[in-house]
Amino acid sequence: MKISTGVPLPAEGVQCVASPCVVVDLDGTLICGNSLHMLVRFMAAQLRRRRGFWRLLRIGGLLGLRRLRLISHTGMKHPVHRMAAESMSEADMENFVSVLGAALNRKLLERLDGYRRRGYRILLASAAPDLYLPRLTALAGFDGFIATPLPASAGEAYTETRGEHKRDLCLDYAAREGWTIAVVATDHPDDLPLLLLPGISRLLVSPAPGLPEELRRRGLDFEII
């Protein structure tokens, strides 16, 4: 029986070789800073200019509650992302991505360019929302992204793209594309499940305290850039 997959099948006897892939974290790795903090500053400036004082007060209230530890980090950032989705135009989003672009880690980009020239694919993977990651992926010239889907409505449960869940999503994405994860670039201990993948190279970008020590304790090689 002939099965149509929409993808040309390799000639008989030809072995398919998976493309190596670099998984890159966003905050503190690809960009020098935190995209949520940058989004809040961008939105606050926009709302002041447009006299959006109610949303501005809501953002201030959420930040205050978080500072007092009365709500979780997720409980603070989810409403902020929803307000961004509701209040920012396409032009606003393009302008914000330009702000992120100005904060890209140039040293890391040079390393990634070297990987690209050797045939590697680049996958941006972050707990940030899919609100602005598609545009940032295009701006950076990467091959794909994984983000936290923004729920359709406020209060709807969702799972952030971090930890083991992020690792599993990256492995699934790579398998679908015919890639194999060869390098992981990150700054954060949340990505330890990815860093523990066997046979990979590990790039630590201005790593958080304790992460290099944890990898040394496990007998794993890494490079700090």
Side-chain angles (χ1 to χ4, degrees):
M1 178 184 297
K2 184 177 180 180
I3 300 175
S4 175
T5 63
V7 179
L9 296 176
E12 187 175 351
V14 175
Q15 185 176 5
C16 292
V17 178
S19 298
C21 166
V22 184
V23 175
V24 182
D25 183 43
L26 178 62
D27 293 338
T29 302
L30 179 62
I31 62 171
C32 301
N34 182 289
S35 60
L36 175 62
H37 298 169
M38 297 165 78
L39 178 64
V40 167
R41 289 194 294 269
F42 182 89
M43 289 177 64
Q46 295 283 67
L47 290 170
R48 281 194 296 269
R49 281 197 296 270
R50 296 169 183 172
R51 299 182 180 275
F53 298 125
W54 171 239
R55 283 196 172 105
L56 197 57
L57 284 172
R58 279 194 66 199
I59 291 174
L62 288 165
L63 294 177
L65 290 173
R66 176 56 187 155
R67 193 167 289 116
L68 294 171
R69 299 188 180 277
L70 296 176
I71 58 174
S72 67
H73 182 69
T74 299
M76 177 269 294
K77 74 177 184 178
H78 179 203
V80 169
H81 289 150
R82 285 236 53 86
M83 278 188 276
E86 294 165 0
S87 65
M88 291 174 65
S89 66
E90 290 293 317
D92 291 336
M93 202 61 69
E94 290 291 344
N95 289 335
F96 174 62
V97 170
S98 295
V99 171
L100 294 179
L104 290 174
N105 185 322
R106 302 299 165 183
K107 187 173 182 180
L108 177 61
L109 286 178
E110 289 177 5
R111 176 64 69 90
L112 295 177
D113 284 343
Y115 282 119
R116 290 294 298 270
R117 288 193 294 270
R118 291 154 54 194
Y120 284 64
R121 303 294 187 173
I122 312 296
L123 176 63
L124 178 59
S126 173
D130 53 7
L131 189 63
Y132 47 82
L133 254 64
R135 291 176 176 85
L136 183 60
T137 299
L139 177 68
F142 292 173
D143 299 287
F145 73 91
I146 291 172
T148 299
L150 192 65
S153 60
E156 183 179 338
Y158 71 109
T159 302
E160 284 193 298
T161 304
R162 63 173 69 250
E164 293 182 355
H165 181 55
K166 178 177 177 178
R167 176 203 60 198
D168 294 344
L169 289 175
C170 289
L171 288 170
D172 289 346
Y173 191 107
R176 287 197 307 271
E177 296 295 325
W179 306 343
T180 182
I181 297 175
V183 183
V184 173
T186 186
D187 71 307
H188 206 279
D190 280 355
D191 284 326
L192 191 59
L194 274 166
L195 293 168
L196 293 179
L197 290 174
I200 65 165
S201 297
R202 302 168 186 87
L203 296 180
L204 303 187
V205 183
S206 302
L211 181 56
E213 291 75 14
E214 177 62 20
L215 294 180
R216 289 192 189 99
R217 187 183 69 80
R218 293 173 180 264
L220 298 174
D221 294 330
F222 58 89
E223 178 185 354
I224 295 179
I225 62 173

